[in-house]
Amino acid sequence: MSNTFIAVPATPATPGTGSDLIAATGFFPSISLAKARQAVRMDGTVTDERLRNAIIEAKATVISDLATWADAQKSLGFATLGDIPATHIDGESIHVHRYRTAVYGLAGASLSERYRSTDQTKSGHEKADSMEPTIDDLRRDARWAIRDILSVSRTTVELI
């Protein structure tokens, strides 16, 4: 009897389908699971269910962080994040791009933190330890994207 393990990559949802999109109330754009998987570079070991949960939690956090600002924008007559006057790059509002960056960053950090619990071998711990800077970078990128939307300084001060 063999102790062989074969990992089969998860089949990602088709971009743009109902099962692929994670929507919130109208102001904030939907997030595609397939595009998030590519942006966060998650392989097939992260199931669509885990990725969906991470994206939902990340969206909830970002929406909460932007709630007061979003309410002010809605009161000015802007129905969606993309409607707010902003620089457009590659045909898209920089606010929408930064919103996605924040969601992807928080979701990626959350999923990467959980990697440690999937491999308890010495090499697994070493790989998880090497991911710490990446996790911190993803959280920083998310925080900066939110602060850029809010038009506040990115300055982070730490007492030593």
Side-chain angles (χ1 to χ4, degrees):
M1 181 164 163
S2 172
N3 287 336
T4 304
F5 174 78
I6 300 172
V8 179
T11 304
T14 305
T17 64
S19 65
D20 175 60
L21 295 178
I22 300 173
T25 52
F27 186 79
F28 293 98
S30 298
I31 297 287
S32 160
L33 281 177
K35 289 180 180 179
R37 184 179 295 281
Q38 290 175 339
V40 181
R41 298 182 314 181
M42 288 295 153
D43 62 16
T45 60
V46 176
T47 64
D48 279 348
E49 292 78 18
R50 282 186 177 180
L51 180 59
R52 178 176 291 279
N53 185 61
I55 294 292
I56 289 170
E57 286 300 321
K59 278 181 71 91
T61 298
V62 174
I63 289 170
S64 176
D65 288 349
L66 294 173
T68 302
W69 178 85
D71 287 343
Q73 300 308 310
K74 289 182 226 176
S75 72
L76 294 173
F78 301 112
T80 69
L81 184 62
D83 291 341
I84 299 166
T87 300
H88 278 66
I89 298 175
D90 198 24
E92 180 177 68
S93 164
I94 196 67
H95 290 320
V96 172
H97 171 75
R98 287 174 173 157
Y99 167 78
R100 253 197 326 272
T101 297
V103 171
Y104 293 164
L106 292 177
S110 175
L111 289 166
S112 295
E113 285 173 333
R114 278 143 187 79
Y115 182 86
R116 188 179 295 275
S117 66
T118 63
D119 188 349
Q120 295 299 318
T121 65
K122 183 176 189 261
S123 64
H125 280 291
E126 289 169 355
K127 184 172 182 179
D129 288 342
S130 73
M131 292 175 71
E132 287 299 327
T134 302
I135 293 167
D136 292 343
D137 292 344
L138 289 167
R139 289 201 186 284
R140 181 210 57 220
D141 291 348
R143 187 173 54 252
W144 282 1
I146 291 167
R147 295 181 72 77
D148 287 347
I149 291 171
L150 296 172
S151 296
V152 296
S153 171
R154 290 182 172 185
T155 304
T156 303
V157 178
E158 212 175 293
L159 295 176
I160 299 177

